[in-house]
Amino acid sequence: MRALLIAVLLALTPVAASAVQPDEVLKDPALEGRAREISKDLRCLVCQNQSIDDSNAPLARDLRVLVRERLTAGDSNQQVLSFVTDRYGDYVLLRPPFKATTLFLWIGPFVILAIGGVATALYLRGRKGAAVAAGGDTAPLTEDERRRLDALLRKDKA
């Protein structure tokens, strides 16, 4: 029973997925650490929302190798990112910069949420107004309705 519990817990434990192959790893641990850090910020151009560090796509491997080549050549992290974004655009970044070309990307969800909220508020307001205009929930019972309701309630109790 204990072994089964341990096996289930190990199966449910998230494992850091990495597609980096042993032949890609740099011998210098500091450079390799920088390469992994940069690779986690770069989007795989083939896969949906995966970093090149996590992707098994051949293009992601090419980008990982390119990052390592640039770092080995002496580039800083920012120079490597600039080199890659000059080639592929801001799309290659998992966290694109805030600038005019990416403005809608950053504020778009909030604009859509605000439009949805206003539309919902207008719909509910119109629905309430229609109910009031039709004499819905707020209209008092007439004397005839009250007598019929009393009769129904007495019938239920009997």
Side-chain angles (χ1 to χ4, degrees):
M1 183 66 177
R2 181 183 258 180
L4 178 65
L5 181 62
I6 291 172
V8 169
L9 288 175
L10 286 175
L12 296 176
T13 303
V15 177
S18 175
V20 177
Q21 301 299 311
D23 62 325
E24 299 173 25
V25 176
L26 296 173
K27 291 180 180 164
D28 182 1
L31 275 182
E32 180 60 25
R34 287 175 54 204
R36 298 295 297 266
E37 189 176 308
I38 293 170
S39 296
K40 289 177 184 174
D41 290 339
L42 294 174
R43 177 190 316 270
C44 174
L45 299 173
V46 177
C47 306
Q48 294 270 327
N49 265 347
Q50 262 190 325
S51 71
I52 62 170
D53 197 54
D54 299 333
S55 174
N56 289 321
L59 185 57
R61 176 184 165 79
D62 292 345
L63 281 174
R64 287 192 304 265
V65 169
L66 176 71
V67 165
R68 283 165 174 76
E69 286 174 357
R70 300 298 299 186
L71 286 174
T72 305
D75 284 0
S76 68
N77 291 9
Q78 189 56 46
Q79 287 173 320
V80 173
L81 288 172
S82 295
F83 181 82
V84 174
T85 53
D86 287 347
R87 280 180 137 189
Y88 299 103
D90 290 331
Y91 177 76
V92 77
L93 299 172
L94 281 173
R95 283 178 264 151
F98 188 82
K99 58 186 186 182
T101 56
T102 61
L103 186 63
F104 187 73
L105 186 68
W106 284 100
I107 66 167
F110 299 110
V111 169
I112 291 171
L113 183 66
I115 290 170
V118 168
T120 301
L122 290 175
Y123 171 75
L124 292 175
R125 188 177 188 183
R127 197 169 157 204
K128 184 179 178 184
V132 170
D137 300 338
T138 58
L141 294 176
T142 63
E143 198 55 41
D144 184 43
E145 291 170 335
R146 190 177 310 271
R147 270 185 269 137
R148 285 186 7 220
L149 179 63
D150 288 340
L152 286 172
L153 290 173
R154 272 186 255 128
K155 189 177 176 182
D156 256 5
K157 287 182 181 176

